[in-house]
Amino acid sequence: MYYAIISEDVKGSLPLRRGARPDHLARLEALKAEGRLLLAGPFPAVDAEDPGEAGFHGSLVVAEFDSLDTARQWADADPYVAVGVYRQVTVRPFKVVLP
């Protein structure tokens, strides 16, 4: 089943995000290589493709996991969690309807 991992950033966490980004992306690339990643990306803090120093409000990952517990464990092991980018992470079952 798919799960939505919705993460909210700590205010002013852009420097932390930048430092942990390579490790964060490597985990997403691993999901993609396994054919389990539906989509992933950040929420810009301003209405722009590149928010610059405004940074991000959080992130969304939708990926396939064996269970809700497995999805939570994966989310808890994110490098952004480890360095303090996220203030909150919510994991919910997600049903793909379209496209």
Side-chain angles (χ1 to χ4, degrees):
M1 177 165 198
Y2 282 96
Y3 295 88
I5 301 168
I6 306 146
S7 305
E8 298 176 37
D9 284 17
V10 169
K11 188 173 179 155
S13 63
L14 185 59
L16 297 172
R17 182 182 268 271
R18 286 178 175 151
R21 189 169 189 262
D23 292 336
H24 172 79
L25 291 179
R27 296 179 80 236
L28 293 171
E29 288 292 342
L31 284 179
K32 181 181 172 187
E34 295 167 5
R36 297 171 40 208
L37 182 65
L38 184 64
L39 64 91
F43 299 117
V46 295
D47 188 12
E49 183 74 22
D50 179 358
E53 292 304 310
F56 301 92
H57 285 299
S59 302
L60 171 66
V61 174
V62 180
E64 189 174 25
F65 293 94
D66 291 334
S67 68
L68 180 58
D69 285 339
T70 304
R72 284 184 178 140
Q73 289 170 10
W74 187 90
D76 288 345
D78 193 298
Y80 284 173
V81 171
V83 300
V85 171
Y86 295 147
R87 70 174 189 86
Q88 180 175 332
V89 177
T90 303
V91 182
R92 295 183 178 164
F94 184 83
K95 182 177 178 178
V96 178
V97 175
L98 292 172

